[in-house]
Every structure is written in structure tokens, then in C-alpha cells.
Amino acid sequence: MKYMMLMQFGADSELPPITTWTEDEVRAHIAFMGATNHKLIEDGEFVDAQGLADPGRAKIVRSGDGGAPVVTDGPFPETKEFLVGYWIIDVETEERAVEIAAYVSAAPGPGGKPLNMPIQLRQIMDGPSPREA
Amino acid sequence: MDGRSLDDLLRPLVPQVVGVLTRRFADFAAAEDAVQEALLDALDQWPRDGVPGNPRGWLIQVAYRRMIEQTRRDEARRLREERVATWDRAPAADEPDPAGRDDTLITLFLCCHPALTPASAIALTLRSVGGLTTAEIARAFLVPEATMAQRVSRAKQRVKASGVPFAMPGPQERARRLASVLHVLYLIFNEGYVGSAGSALYRVELGREAIRLARTLRRELPDDPEVAGLLALMLLTDARRPARADGHGTPIPLDEQDRSLWDAAVIAEGVALVTEALGRGAAGPYQLQAAIAALHDEAPSAEATDWPQILALYGLLERMSDNPMVSLNRAVAAAMANGPATGLAMLRSLEGRLAGSHRFYAARAHLLEMTGEGEAAVADYREAASRTTSAAERDYLTMRAARLAAHGTG
């Protein structure tokens, strides 16, 4: 069964912004993420993982009158949390998905201490994706 | 030669060639790799150059060469190279065939080893017995090829670590392994069936492949009634495929399906199989499920279905397994045979064990709808929709709730 792990960052998560970390701390964090992805591939559990560009570059798009797009630029000061990246994993059980989510939650931050980031875990519905249909 | 008939020709040969090379080199993992490479060569060359006179011999020769090359390339395996050098020749291309069938069975038993997780066993079986390429298996399961390659590779490592020799297990071990084999084939079939929604090509392929493997298994073990039962169950389920989803992939429940779309020839084959198997004495769970599927398939309509007989079969199945889903199905059959009140009473006693299952709420919604308790039914349909992890099923349950909310509860 497939799960999406959503990594959120922001004021509410009480995590220090990565722009305040030292170079070594950033390096250790990136190395951890790379190693995690590699491990997931080796374990046959990796489907996809992507980081999202800075939320400051996000746009909200709505359809306006006559279907023309109406675009609002970010950032959105009222938004407390941003999605910074996601994984899609394919695992045997939900317990395993929780285990992986807890593992990535503990990615190293300032001083090498685990960040214990909030990871939202969502099961992906069964069924063919549109490109397979 | 088109891709389909090339597949038909190649795939049954794969487990046999794996068997020949595993015996020769005493290394299942390496043999399996070499055969996969030979298979890719065949898929590349045969459509262009024509099919060789002896396809099995061709595959053996090419895989054999690949293995020798691999052995030579691999510095750490120099020792084995010396051993290989003492072998005078590759296995004869035209070795008589009785060993081939045996090898198919041994390879299948090895790939469905109980020590493997279901996902690994499925991947290894589809590749080493089914002859699917890693890319094809990855597409069917919607994961990257590298991920699937790792599953295959880890599965082979586990088989190797378990120290199982490439030989037919003894009678006792054989029964246990056969149970795993049947389970893995059934999982492959369900993967193709449940996810398919009618139009997704690769998923349908999985269902076909499971049936082909079950046919192979039956050829090897013609006297085993559960093997026949599993094949019958797959055929009787697959026969309904053309009617089981609408154009958008939304499932159509059994009682609303256009039965003229069911495949009569496949149903006849399944019914004959299960009838013969049941004639042999104590029936196992696959035969019982096939017998239930046969009663559905032979009925001209949902109302004209032999529900008392289905109820009795679920009763037998319930005594055999501790699966609450069987009890749930028995409650639905009881409702159809003796009225919804009976079914609802049986569901009440299951509530604790099935709390959280969308199937429980879907079944109860259905029975509540039958009794005319529209509002309660709508609530249960919605509850079921919020709990299912199948997109097609969620769509169906949501629409059912909406329809009933608009018309049924007046």
C-alpha cells in the first residue's frame, strides 16, 4: 500500500528556519535526506520524493469570470505551515509507514539534534493512476 | 510474431531455464539474473530475426554464456571460474523435457518461499516464473523500476540466505510451500482484479498472468483439488470482468451487472473444474470460494441465485477460517436467503471485530437499504466511503449515498 508523507515547516512546528543553520548543519541535514532516499530505494519501498520550491514563490490560481486564471502571488503571511516536500512510499503495512515517517521526522537540525518535524501521513487510494488507464 | 504470442512462447520457458542453470551453477540468484538478460535478448532479437528452432535451447545457451561472462567479469568469483573451466560444455539445447516441468514447479516453490514478504514473493514469482521483465512488473505496481529491481534482488538474497536447495521439498514441507504458492498467486490475481477498474492495461495483465501461472501449476499438480479450486475461483471471478465496472471505472455491484456480458465459456470451464475438484472429498477454502463464485455465475439474476446454498458454503468456510470477512459475507448471504433482519442481527455480533472496516459499513448500509431504513443506510454508505482506500469504491459508495439521500429516504 502506498502512502504520502508530507513534510511541513513553519512557525507552528517551532522549528528553526534552515536559513539560520550553520553550513555543517545544513550539510548533515541534506546528507540524511539523501541517505534516507537511498535506503528506501534499497528496501524496495521508494516511489517518489520531491522537495518543493520556496513558498515565497508559490501562486494561488483560481478561475475567474469566463474561465480566465486569476493569480495571487505568495507569500501568504496568514499561512502558518508550508509544505516543503513529500515522499511517496510503497510498504507492506501502515506500521511500517509510521516507522519511516518517525525516522524522517528525526532528521538532524541545529547542533545535530533531531528536528522531530511533523510529518503528515496520508494513504494513497488504490486504483490505477490516470496515465495507466 | 506479435508481442502476445512471443510472450506465450517465452514465459513458460523461463522457470525451466532458471532451473537448468541453477542446477548447473548452484547459484539461483545469478542464474535468475542471467536468464533475465537472455529473456531481454530474446525480446529484442526474435521479433527481428525470427524465432529459433529450439527456443528453450536458445535461452539456455544465451543465459549460460551470460553466466560465464558474469563469472569471468567478477574478480571475487575467480574460484568459481576455475570450476566452470572444468565443465566441458553447456547443457545440451535439446535435453529431453521431463526435467523442464519439474524445474518450473521447483522454481515456483522457491519464489513463493514462506520466508519472503508477500511483496517480495510476488515480484520474484512474476520475474522468475512469469517471465515478466522488471520494468513490466514495476509498471503494474506503479513503482519505479529501481525500486522493483531492489525487491527482486532482496528476495533472491533472502532465498539464498535461507539455504533452501534447488530441489523438490519433501512431502510435508511441500504442502506448506504449496499453501504459500497458492496465496501468492491469489494475491497477484487480486492485485490485477481489485485495482483494474476495467481499463488499466497493466493491471489486467496481472490478472491474466495469475491465471496463466495457476494453469501451469495445475498441469504440474493435476490431482491437487485446491490448485484446481484456486484456478476455478480465478476463472469464475475473471469471467465477470466485462460487466463489473462502468465506462469510468466505477464498480457495478453484482445485482446490477449485465449478466449477458459475463464470459460464458470461462464460466463453463470454472464450473467444470470446481465440480471435479469438489468430487474428490474434503473441500479446502479455495474450492469453497470457487463453489460460491460458481453459484453466482450460474444464476440468471441476483434474485434467482441459490442463496441458501451460498449461505451453507459460507458456513463451511467460516468453520475453516477465523476471518471475520467470511462471517460478514455469510451475514449478507443470510439476508438474501432469509431476509435483511436476519443479516442485520448477524452483523451486530460482528461489529466489534470489524469496527473500522469499510466493508462492514457497506454491508450494513446495503441491508438497511433493503429494510427501508434510508437515513441509517445513507449514514453507513458515507461512513464506508470515508473508510475505503479504493478510489473506485469510494466513488461508488458516495454516489449510492447521494442517490438514496435524494430519492430513498423521501
Side-chain angles (χ1 to χ4, degrees):
Chain A
M1 39 182 119
K2 293 194 178 70
Y3 286 85
M4 192 167 203
M5 298 193 300
L6 303 166
M7 188 168 113
Q8 280 156 327
F9 237 85
D12 260 17
S13 34
E14 294 174 356
L15 298 169
I18 200 161
T19 47
T20 65
W21 303 6
T22 69
E23 184 188 342
D24 281 350
E25 286 164 352
V26 174
R27 196 184 299 280
H29 184 80
I30 292 168
F32 173 90
M33 290 303 181
T36 299
N37 290 344
H38 191 67
K39 176 82 168 61
L40 287 171
I41 292 171
E42 278 201 332
D43 288 348
E45 294 175 326
F46 182 90
V47 180
D48 192 23
Q50 302 291 342
L52 301 182
D54 189 273
R57 302 183 54 198
K59 290 179 170 58
I60 298 287
V61 180
R62 281 173 198 266
S63 167
D65 286 340
V70 177
V71 180
T72 319
D73 280 330
F76 319 106
E78 71 280 8
T79 308
K80 296 207 173 67
E81 292 226 330
F82 291 110
L83 185 63
V84 293
Y86 68 84
W87 287 262
I88 296 174
I89 52 174
D90 187 14
V91 292
E92 301 259 353
T93 61
E94 175 152 318
E95 288 71 36
R96 175 64 184 150
V98 168
E99 191 178 292
I100 294 170
Y103 181 78
V104 301
S105 164
K113 280 203 279 254
L115 286 166
N116 297 335
M117 298 177 281
I119 303 290
Q120 191 186 146
L121 191 61
R122 300 282 302 273
Q123 187 168 358
I124 294 175
M125 299 212 119
D126 296 333
S129 76
R131 89 195 132 115
E132 298 293 325
Chain B
M1 161 168 270
D2 63 36
R4 170 110 240 147
S5 45
L6 186 61
D7 281 352
D8 290 346
L9 175 70
L10 271 169
R11 291 186 175 169
L13 298 175
V14 168
Q16 300 174 23
V17 178
V18 169
V20 169
L21 291 208
T22 304
R23 281 188 208 291
R24 189 62 60 136
F25 287 80
D27 186 341
F28 169 73
E32 206 274 340
D33 273 341
V35 173
Q36 183 75 9
E37 286 178 33
L39 181 69
L40 292 173
D41 285 351
L43 288 168
D44 178 45
Q45 291 175 27
W46 294 6
R48 195 181 58 223
D49 305 339
V51 175
N54 179 350
R56 181 170 179 266
W58 189 97
L59 282 174
I60 290 173
Q61 296 283 7
V62 171
Y64 185 89
R65 270 205 301 276
R66 292 274 182 176
M67 243 178 127
I68 300 277
E69 283 163 18
Q70 178 58 39
T71 310
R72 288 199 178 125
R73 267 201 305 269
D74 197 344
E75 272 290 292
R77 293 184 179 176
R78 223 176 333 183
L79 211 64
R80 187 189 288 123
E81 193 187 2
E82 283 165 24
R83 251 168 58 213
V84 169
T86 65
W87 293 334
D88 47 352
R89 58 172 185 91
D94 54 355
E95 265 180 60
D97 221 86
R101 304 191 115 187
D102 227 28
D103 280 342
T104 299
L105 198 57
I106 297 172
T107 310
L108 186 58
F109 274 39
L110 203 61
C111 294
C112 301
H113 195 273
L116 297 177
T117 62
S120 307
I122 287 170
L124 193 56
T125 301
L126 285 173
R127 204 173 100 150
S128 309
V129 191
L132 271 69
T133 64
T134 307
E136 287 172 324
I137 306 168
R139 270 201 300 271
F141 286 87
L142 307 177
V143 300
E145 193 175 340
T147 300
M148 194 49 81
Q150 284 295 343
R151 282 190 199 168
V152 172
S153 151
R154 286 176 78 88
K156 286 193 291 189
Q157 281 167 22
R158 287 207 74 157
V159 167
K160 195 174 175 181
S162 72
V164 184
F166 191 81
M168 196 60 84
Q172 252 183 335
E173 176 61 16
R174 197 166 146 161
R176 197 163 73 96
R177 293 270 201 92
L178 182 59
S180 297
V181 169
L182 295 177
H183 183 59
V184 167
L185 295 188
Y186 192 48
L187 287 177
I188 293 172
F189 178 78
N190 273 335
E191 192 69 41
Y193 192 74
V194 176
S196 77
S199 57
L201 185 66
Y202 296 111
R203 295 266 154 167
V204 175
E205 282 297 316
L206 280 185
R208 274 201 203 111
E209 186 57 21
I211 289 175
R212 192 186 71 75
L213 292 177
R215 281 192 197 284
T216 304
L217 185 59
R218 185 171 142 71
R219 265 198 304 278
E220 315 289 325
L221 300 172
D223 299 324
D224 189 289
E226 275 294 82
V227 172
L230 176 63
L231 176 57
L233 175 60
M234 289 180 182
L235 291 171
L236 291 163
T237 309
D238 200 54
R240 294 183 218 134
R241 181 188 293 282
R244 62 181 283 271
D246 67 16
H248 305 289
T250 309
I252 301 172
L254 202 54
D255 59 346
E256 291 174 21
Q257 287 179 16
D258 176 356
R259 291 173 188 236
S260 68
L261 296 176
W262 292 358
D263 192 325
V266 175
I267 290 173
E269 186 190 355
V271 169
L273 260 174
V274 69
T275 308
E276 191 202 323
L278 283 169
R280 294 210 191 116
Y286 289 115
Q287 292 163 78
L288 290 175
Q289 290 177 76
I292 292 166
L295 288 169
H296 283 302
D297 285 12
E298 290 185 309
S301 69
E303 298 74 37
T305 304
D306 189 349
W307 290 107
Q309 181 72 12
I310 289 178
L311 179 60
L313 287 167
Y314 273 122
L316 288 175
L317 206 51
E318 196 176 33
R319 258 175 272 159
M320 224 172 268
S321 72
D322 191 32
N323 184 347
M325 286 304 163
V326 172
S327 307
L328 181 76
N329 288 330
R330 190 174 147 249
V332 174
M336 299 306 287
N338 307 319
T342 318
L344 282 169
M346 286 163 73
L347 281 187
R348 264 194 292 281
S349 65
L350 280 171
E351 197 164 357
R353 290 176 74 200
L354 283 168
S357 155
H358 76 276
R359 288 214 182 85
F360 173 82
Y361 292 99
R364 194 169 69 182
H366 183 59
L367 300 193
L368 286 168
E369 190 179 348
M370 279 169 73
T371 60
E373 290 179 65
E375 266 176 57
V378 168
D380 271 354
Y381 277 129
R382 287 187 182 141
E383 190 67 40
S386 78
R387 286 165 192 269
T388 180
T389 58
S390 151
E393 205 163 43
R394 179 198 54 193
D395 295 348
Y396 162 74
L397 291 163
T398 307
M399 282 190 274
R400 189 103 189 186
R403 189 202 306 164
L404 194 58
H407 307 291
T409 64

